[in-house]
Amino acid sequence: MVTTLFSQLFYNEIQSSNQISQLDHFIYAAKFQPTFPVIMTISSLYLLMHNLFTYYFSFLGGGLFLLSYFNSPTPGGQILFYFCLLNVGFAL
């Protein structure tokens, strides 16, 4: 049974423990003591999704800001836009 799948891609034959890749260590740990690899995987997915949502909401907010600035046909809409813009400025 081969337990160093990824290390054998880099080295034909493994001579020392320094040649074993970190991915093989991770897979070995997931097989026999899965608590830490599961927590690490869930944390990584959470951080990745948090960063993607941050970019998504920044893009969405910027787009809506530009749409409200350029597409306000009524004077009331323009007044509301500038009022909300002032409130955001005071909040920062």
Side-chain angles (χ1 to χ4, degrees), residues 7-87:
S7 297
Q8 289 184 352
L9 292 174
F10 300 115
Y11 309 104
N12 289 336
E13 186 177 335
I14 298 173
Q15 301 294 330
S16 68
S17 62
N18 293 338
Q19 294 176 331
I20 298 175
S21 72
Q22 293 297 317
L23 189 56
D24 284 330
H25 283 289
F26 181 77
I27 291 172
Y28 184 83
K31 284 181 182 178
F32 296 105
Q33 295 180 350
T35 305
F36 177 72
V38 167
I39 292 172
M40 192 172 94
T41 304
I42 291 171
S43 300
S44 299
L45 289 174
Y46 172 76
L47 289 173
L48 177 68
M49 293 307 293
H50 184 304
N51 288 338
L52 291 177
F53 278 133
T54 301
Y55 292 132
Y56 170 72
F57 286 130
S58 297
F59 178 74
L60 182 65
L64 291 175
F65 175 80
L66 291 174
L67 283 175
S68 67
Y69 181 72
F70 292 117
N71 290 335
S72 181
T74 62
Q78 291 175 350
I79 291 171
L80 183 64
F81 170 76
Y82 287 118
F83 178 73
C84 291
L85 188 63
L86 282 173
N87 285 333

